[in-house]
Each structure stands twice: as C-alpha cells, then as structure tokens.
Amino acid sequence: MEGKLRAAIVGSTGYGGVELIRLLQSHPEVEITSVISSSSRGEPIENGFPHLTGIIERNLDGVDAAEIAGRADVVFTATPSGVSAKLVPHLLDAGLKVVDLSGDFRLRDGSEYEQWYKHPAPDDVYLQQAVYGLCEVYGERAAGADFISNPGCYPTATLLGLIPAVEAGWIKPESIIVDAKSGVSGAGRGTSLMVHYAEINENFKAYKINKHQHIPEIEQTLTDIVGEKVTITFTTHLVPMTRGIMTTMYAGMNDKYTEQDFVDLYRKYYAGRSYVRIRNVGITPATKEVSGSNYCDIGFATDARTGRVTIVSVIDNIVKGAAGQAIQNLNLMMGWEETLGLGYTPVYP
C-alpha cells in the first residue's frame, strides 16, 4: 500500500458512501484508511453491510476532523445537506483535500442555498473556493484543486444532456422543460413513508414539484453557459426501481435541426470524454444500459411539426450521479488518468 493516496469516507453507512467503498477498492492509486459514521462509531462496517464481509473488515470511525487528518490525505464527504457545511471547513483547514458529495457547496449564493436547502449557508469563503465538479464540462478546473463540490445526480444527467445544445445556441433556454425520474436509492437509506415498499411498489409518484433543491444548481450552471439568467421547469418523479435516473428534456429549437445534427454536435462536444455516450439516430437510452457504471448515455428526437427537440439522458444515480463522478473528480484533481478505477461495464440485465 506504500505510496498510495489515503482516503477517508464520511457517511460510509449511506448508499453513496458504500458505493465509494466498492469503487475505491479497485482503484490502483488509493487506499481506504478510514470509514466514518457519526451514528455507528465503533461498529464493524459489515454489520450494516454484510456484502462487505471479507472485503473491507474495518470498524467505523467517528467524525473528528483532527483524527481524520491523521489518517487521510483526501476525504469524501457523502453526508446529508447541512452536515458538510459544518465539517468541510475544518477538513480543509487541516490541509486535507475534499470531494464533497452533499449539496452544501454547489450554490455560490449563500442566500439561495438557505432558500432551497433550509439550512444555514456555509461561509462564503468556502462557497467561492469550491470547484463545481461537472467533469465533462469543467474538468480542467479540477486539476490541482483542493476542494471539489460533486454535482447532484439530477443535475448531472440534466446538464450533460442540455449544455452542448444550449452553448451552441440551438435551443431556446427559456423553453426548457425537464421531466426527471429516479430510482428509490436516490432517497437515501433512511426510512420514510415515501419510500415504504407498500407505498412505492407498483406506483409512480411526482414529488417536490417546482421545489426540488437541484433546480437552482441546474439554473446556475445554465446561466453561466448562456451569460444571462436561465429558469427552467423541472419535475421529479420516483420510480419503483433501485438504481437509475432518466431526464427527458424538451426545448424549442432555434432552427431546423435533425436528429443526426444533434448526434454530430454532441459527439464533437464530448469527443475524448470516456463517460458520455451518444446514441445513434433512432435509439433511445435506457437506465439499465448504464446501471453500475459511470456512463451517461444521451439520445435525441426532433419534431419538425412542433419545432422542438426531446433529449433523453440516463445515468446510474449512485455512480455517475454520486460516487463514480466523485472518483472521476479525484482523478482530475490528482492529475491521474480520468478513467482510473472506473472501468466498470454496465450490469445487464
């Protein structure tokens, strides 16, 4: 293990944290030196996750910045919103590199964060320091950074599906409507009536209509791309499956473009980026085609009758939408090959 980067994972008993463990176990340059949980300190991690038996036999550490600094070089904070806001500044001040998977540092405007997340905002110094880690768009900013804010799952699928067309001026930003659907793991491991088996099985729910905390994250990034304020209509749905996100996006076109035009534009935009795959004309991506992997697959359908384009983008919400992109960001941060430790073929069927 000598010479490897020492990694700590805060929030190891959540789905994002345990997925980080799964992926980092195969990373050639990283050693997991601490798995951390505020609620289960001292317990063997396999007690909560028996599938890790014989793979990572380690007791869970508590959340103490000084102790973490003595055991790690980089920290992944896979915590609920509001927790990282308090913890991350101490980790950074201790000289650690941080990849934050919560939403606490994605919005540059603290008042906007408080409006949408209902928590006190982190200090503005840290909000401005955080590099927004949408790898395929802002990857060069991650190189050499000490602090990366990992994008949300819905924003990752949505923004990768929209940015090339928005940047090229092919679609009207004010016309964008996003119909987003997620598997139940996106709600985390905690229990609630919303994700109770009897409530979600054979059911399909819209939730947080016009109120989802990922809305300002998407709008902030699109505004940066366009250069003027962009607002969208964004509706989220819960689907009775474990993994996966599909965002179906509708927008008015500024000219007469064909599906092949969109395919060519996107393939050029994402040329050399290993984890965005553009479907051929007439083929729509499905969530199972990216399950367990770091891929984002995108397809298109144009409608000359209405002058609109439909863009379909799919990811695994726990991998590309969380742990996989976090490791991708770590690779960029460290100057390593972007695909290091992420060479997973999607699990199919």
Side-chain angles (χ1 to χ4, degrees), residues 79-345:
T79 67
S81 59
V83 176
S84 286
K86 300 172 184 176
L87 176 62
V88 165
H90 296 294
L91 299 174
L92 292 170
D93 292 347
L96 293 162
K97 293 181 179 294
V98 175
V99 180
D100 180 51
L101 283 76
S102 80
D104 287 350
F105 298 91
R106 295 174 190 156
L107 303 181
R108 296 189 296 268
D109 185 335
S111 62
E112 193 168 37
Y113 170 84
E114 292 177 353
Q115 174 189 343
W116 289 88
Y117 282 84
K118 312 304 180 186
H119 297 294
D123 190 291
D124 188 64
V125 171
Y126 298 101
L127 291 179
Q128 303 310 316
Q129 181 183 349
V131 173
Y132 185 63
L134 188 62
C135 298
E136 283 76 17
V137 180
Y138 300 122
E140 72 284 351
R141 299 182 186 179
D146 292 323
F147 178 26
I148 292 178
S149 178
N150 213 54
C153 50
Y154 280 128
T156 295
T158 302
L159 291 168
L160 291 177
L162 287 173
I163 284 176
V166 169
E167 188 173 288
W170 283 22
I171 61 176
K172 301 170 183 176
E174 70 277 8
S175 72
I176 294 171
I177 297 172
V178 182
D179 179 355
K181 305 173 184 71
S182 175
V184 182
S185 61
R189 208 182 189 202
T191 56
S192 71
L193 185 61
M194 183 175 179
V195 297
H196 190 288
Y197 179 81
E199 297 287 332
I200 189 60
N201 181 50
E202 297 186 22
N203 201 2
F204 189 17
K205 298 181 181 180
Y207 69 101
K208 290 187 179 180
I209 299 173
N210 299 326
K211 296 179 181 179
H212 199 285
Q213 67 272 18
H214 287 169
I215 292 173
E217 180 182 342
I218 296 167
E219 291 181 346
Q220 174 180 267
T221 304
L222 293 179
T223 295
D224 289 345
I225 297 293
V226 174
E228 58 185 48
K229 180 64 177 175
V230 174
T231 57
I232 63 171
T233 296
F234 183 82
T235 303
T236 50
H237 304 77
L238 198 59
V239 180
M241 63 183 184
T242 301
R243 291 175 180 253
I245 277 179
M246 174 179 286
T247 55
T248 306
M249 295 155 281
Y250 311 94
M253 297 185 291
N254 281 317
D255 205 339
K256 295 180 180 180
Y257 300 107
T258 67
E259 290 157 14
Q260 189 62 54
D261 290 333
F262 276 92
V263 169
D264 293 342
L265 174 70
Y266 277 60
R267 284 182 175 164
K268 181 178 181 180
Y269 187 94
Y270 290 121
R273 308 314 297 255
S274 300
Y275 293 116
V276 177
R277 304 187 298 188
I278 308 303
R279 288 284 185 263
N280 290 331
V281 170
I283 301 178
T284 305
T287 56
K288 189 173 283 291
E289 293 160 5
V290 296
S291 183
S293 79
N294 199 49
Y295 290 107
C296 173
D297 290 1
I298 303 172
F300 313 93
T302 57
D303 188 345
R305 184 181 63 87
T306 62
R308 300 183 188 215
V309 61
T310 301
I311 303 171
V312 179
S313 175
V314 298
I315 63 171
D316 183 315
N317 57 297
I318 308 177
V319 187
K320 185 59 172 173
Q325 185 158 223
I327 294 169
Q328 194 178 351
N329 271 311
L330 174 67
N331 290 339
L332 293 167
M333 178 189 283
M334 299 303 298
W336 298 332
E337 175 60 42
E338 188 173 358
T339 59
L340 209 60
L342 292 171
Y344 293 89
T345 299

